[in-house]
Amino acid sequence: MGHVEAGHVSHTLPDGRVLLDDVSFRVGEGVTAALVGPNGAGKTTLLRLVAGDLTPQDGTVAHSGGLGVMRQFVGNVRDASSVHDLLLTTAAPQVREAAAVLDAAELAMMERDDEPAQMRYANALTGWGDAGGYDAEVLWDACCVAALGVPYDKCRYRDAGTLSGGEQKRLVLEALLRGPDEVLLLDEPDNYLDVPGKLWLEERLRETSKTVLLVSHDRELLDRAADRIVTVEAGRAWIHGGRFATYAEARQDRNERLEELRRRWDEEHAKLRQLVMMLKNKATFNDGLASRYQAAQTRLRKFEEAGPPEVPPRDQSIKMRLRGGRTGKRAVVCEGLELTGLMRPFDTEVWYGERVAVLGSNGSGKSHFLRLLAGVAETLPRGATPVEPVAHTGVGRLGARVVPGLFAQTHARPDLAGRTPCEIVMTEHARLQNAAMNALARYELQLCAEQPFETLSGGQQARLQILLLELGGATLLLLDEPTDNLDLASAEALQEGLEYYEGTVLAVTHDRWFARSFDRFLVFGADGSVYESPDPVWDETRVTRPR
């Protein structure tokens, strides 16, 4: 069994902004705790501090037991080019080191198959076994069968990039939850999972005896799986000892108490200052009051040194002004469309102004479908990057004056790497600096306006992508899991923005709350069929399809 503890941790960003200020919390043995808070509040930074990726500038972090870590974007892990490499990221350090030695020995054997190379390879195999590599392969085999439906030997060399985001997450989660590590740090583990996958994760988190600290914005998962809630906001942290169902009320009560304490502190401060001023004036004419004046000064000084109580964190105010524009009546037309190897041919039409949610299991082709529609466009929004063609047969075309804008599921935007939000908005959308900063402020991105894109939190990257869609003038929004990394306030702002958007929306989502706001549901079935449903379908086998 293990535990996680942070004591008086502070962290300041390179721009001088204090991200964490005297943060303390403890997650005891066998407890599943959720780390929540606004995007950019420091949740991922806290996980990186516990994982040892960062060193605390002040304070301490500690954990007992082996530590398993899931990064926010598992598909972006450096050197994770194959399924084998991806699984190695979940292994113990000695296994990763032995794997590197074995890979080097195999490469040497390929270049020169002589006796020294053979001896080196034999020693590397021995080291692989001594480090626990063969035991890891047995574990990985079970994980691959559970997550991908095939044994490890048949998929170990498969390019990890060919797996869907949900398949990558499920594979890593299987390895961590089945593995020997007693403490797990999970950053957005439910992102890209379909609803059956989320239900599986909820059950496994309830069953596990491991100590788990996770970041998630899925309210249903939080309520079903988390024993307690650790909130990070305004640089501080506080703990709600109950489940998420009572969290909103607990947060409101806490903020009201903080407001009352601050009001009383201000009143007491004003009284002490008034007393000091009164005694100062009277002591000028009466030496007998000098001692009382000095005592009042001392009392005021100690009162101010103790400082005021914590200020209640302000609520977020995000204003998304998605505009769109008038297009032809038929925004999207599909005739006998088949994505190669993913689904059967299907026909559908999407009319101007409709909100269509694309549902279905992971790996069924939903993201490829959006990329296909983005790639067939004759016109792209200003600042958009061309989308690679998707192998298909049949017809998938856009209507007159339809300009698509794609929200990337994995936030993979190499065109934005190394550039700051302010620079991106000014360059791609011809905004002066003041106008760019005003636009970023509406999305609460002004504080990270000078940070490189890749250093932003997942939620900040998501909000910036939505802002770029707004400024680009897209009349068809192709949104691939847009709410996965958005905190609650940002997700609500997006839903409100879509209500006033004068255009057409196709969104791939596994967010049960978000999907209820859509008009139609296009379901990608596990057997390759594509059909429409009037209501959200989370387990497509429940629907009887017409023959």
Side-chain angles (χ1 to χ4, degrees):
M1 300 294 285
H3 82 286
V4 174
E5 188 168 3
H8 306 289
V9 172
S10 297
H11 185 81
T12 302
L13 297 175
D15 62 4
R17 181 166 63 93
V18 176
L19 183 65
L20 304 174
D21 183 17
D22 197 26
V23 169
S24 299
F25 64 88
R26 188 181 191 278
V27 182
E29 296 180 352
V31 171
T32 296
L35 197 59
V36 303
N39 293 142
K43 302 184 297 294
T44 295
T45 298
L46 261 177
L47 291 189
R48 295 184 66 197
L49 286 166
V50 176
D53 299 337
L54 298 174
T55 302
Q57 297 167 350
D58 288 298
T60 59
V61 292
H63 66 84
S64 59
L67 187 67
V69 183
M70 167 179 271
R71 312 293 175 182
Q72 189 172 25
F73 301 115
V74 296
N76 293 351
V77 175
R78 183 181 299 176
D79 298 330
S81 57
S82 67
V83 168
H84 168 75
D85 296 330
L86 186 59
L87 288 168
L88 266 180
T89 65
T90 69
Q94 64 269 22
V95 175
R96 295 198 296 269
E97 293 169 4
V101 173
L102 183 57
D103 288 344
E106 288 178 341
L107 182 60
M109 281 276 291
M110 294 174 61
E111 294 175 348
R112 187 175 181 177
D113 190 6
D114 55 13
E115 185 174 350
Q118 292 173 359
M119 286 297 297
R120 181 183 177 186
Y121 182 61
N123 290 333
L125 285 175
T126 301
W128 174 248
D130 292 343
Y134 293 117
D135 293 335
E137 288 182 350
V138 173
L139 170 67
W140 296 344
D141 186 70
C143 295
C144 289
V145 170
L148 307 178
V150 293
Y152 170 69
D153 284 343
K154 291 187 177 181
C155 66
R156 64 175 296 172
Y157 298 113
R158 179 178 174 181
D159 185 351
T162 64
L163 303 178
S164 71
E167 288 171 326
Q168 292 176 5
K169 288 271 185 171
R170 177 69 182 267
L171 183 59
V172 172
L173 283 168
E174 289 279 4
L176 291 173
L177 288 166
R178 294 170 182 259
D181 293 321
E182 298 171 346
V183 176
L184 300 183
L185 306 179
L186 309 179
D187 198 354
E188 307 279 8
D190 54 299
N191 282 8
Y192 316 136
L193 293 181
D194 53 24
V195 173
K198 292 186 178 186
L199 294 174
W200 164 84
L201 177 58
E202 292 165 2
E203 183 177 357
R204 290 301 304 275
L205 290 175
R206 288 196 301 268
E207 293 175 347
T208 187
S209 60
K210 299 176 184 289
T211 301
V212 181
L213 180 61
L214 65 93
V215 174
S216 176
H217 300 302
D218 188 308
R219 292 173 295 174
E220 294 191 39
L221 183 143
L222 291 173
D223 187 49
R224 295 179 181 183
D227 302 315
R228 63 194 59 179
I229 311 295
V230 181
T231 303
V232 181
E233 53 185 348
R236 301 292 184 89
W238 61 279
I239 298 176
H240 171 53
R243 306 191 72 84
F244 189 76
T246 58
Y247 171 73
E249 182 180 356
R251 182 177 181 272
Q252 181 178 352
D253 291 344
R254 177 179 183 272
N255 288 345
E256 289 176 354
R257 288 196 304 272
L258 290 176
E259 289 176 354
E260 177 63 17
L261 289 173
R262 185 58 187 247
R263 184 187 65 79
R264 293 180 181 179
W265 190 91
D266 289 339
E267 290 178 352
E268 183 66 17
H269 189 215
K271 290 179 181 178
L272 287 175
R273 287 175 59 88
Q274 185 178 7
L275 176 62
V276 168
M277 292 301 298
M278 180 190 70
L279 291 174
K280 178 181 178 181
N281 293 333
K282 290 185 177 181
T284 304
F285 305 101
N286 187 347
D287 292 340
L289 294 176
S291 60
R292 291 182 59 188
Y293 169 55
Q294 292 176 353
Q297 281 184 309
T298 300
R299 182 180 174 189
L300 176 62
R301 185 182 71 255
K302 291 182 177 180
F303 185 84
E304 291 177 338
E305 288 175 352
E310 181 181 344
V311 177
R314 70 175 184 85
D315 292 328
Q316 292 177 273
S317 178
I318 300 172
K319 298 179 177 61
M320 299 182 180
R321 298 173 183 171
L322 298 164
R323 295 180 178 83
R326 188 71 195 184
T327 69
K329 291 184 179 180
R330 289 181 175 85
V332 177
V333 177
C334 299
E335 298 174 347
L337 180 63
E338 177 184 4
L339 296 183
T340 305
L342 291 174
M343 91 268 268
R344 301 173 189 169
F346 73 98
D347 302 329
T348 193
E349 291 182 340
V350 179
W351 296 76
Y352 166 77
E354 284 191 313
R355 303 318 193 235
V356 180
V358 183
L359 311 179
S361 59
N362 287 324
S364 59
K366 304 183 301 298
S367 297
H368 289 76
F369 176 55
L370 293 195
R371 287 178 51 229
L372 170 65
L373 296 181
V376 301
E378 297 181 1
T379 305
L380 292 174
R382 179 186 296 171
T385 54
V387 179
E388 294 182 4
V390 177
H392 69 284
T393 58
V395 176
R397 66 174 185 271
L398 305 182
R401 299 183 301 281
V402 173
V403 180
L406 177 65
F407 178 101
Q409 178 188 30
T410 59
H411 301 187
R413 292 291 301 269
D415 57 312
L416 304 182
R419 304 164 65 192
T420 67
C422 186
E423 176 189 352
I424 292 166
V425 173
M426 290 174 63
T427 303
E428 305 293 350
H429 299 285
R431 294 294 198 277
L432 297 175
Q433 185 173 13
N434 287 343
M437 290 301 295
N438 287 337
L440 292 169
R442 287 194 290 103
Y443 282 70
E444 296 216 341
L445 295 171
Q446 69 276 19
L447 295 179
C448 60
E450 301 301 330
Q451 292 180 222
F453 177 78
E454 60 271 19
T455 68
L456 304 179
S457 71
Q460 290 169 333
Q461 290 182 357
R463 275 184 275 150
L464 179 59
Q465 279 203 80
I466 298 170
L467 172 59
L468 297 180
L469 291 177
E470 172 190 312
L471 299 177
T475 57
L476 168 65
L477 296 180
L478 303 171
L479 308 178
D480 197 355
E481 303 283 8
T483 62
D484 266 0
N485 291 293
L486 294 178
D487 56 36
L488 179 58
S490 300
E492 290 178 345
L494 173 60
Q495 182 169 345
E496 183 178 355
L498 293 180
E499 289 179 0
Y500 294 98
Y501 174 67
E502 296 181 357
T504 308
V505 180
L506 268 75
V508 171
T509 186
H510 297 298
D511 186 328
R512 289 159 278 187
W513 165 76
F514 182 60
R516 288 195 288 268
S517 63
F518 282 72
D519 305 323
R520 292 167 51 194
F521 303 93
L522 189 65
V523 184
F524 281 46
D527 62 354
S529 63
V530 180
Y531 61 96
E532 289 201 29
S533 171
D535 300 303
V537 176
W538 303 119
D539 181 357
E540 58 89 25
T541 59
R542 297 175 187 168
V543 176
T544 302
R545 304 176 192 79
R547 296 182 179 180

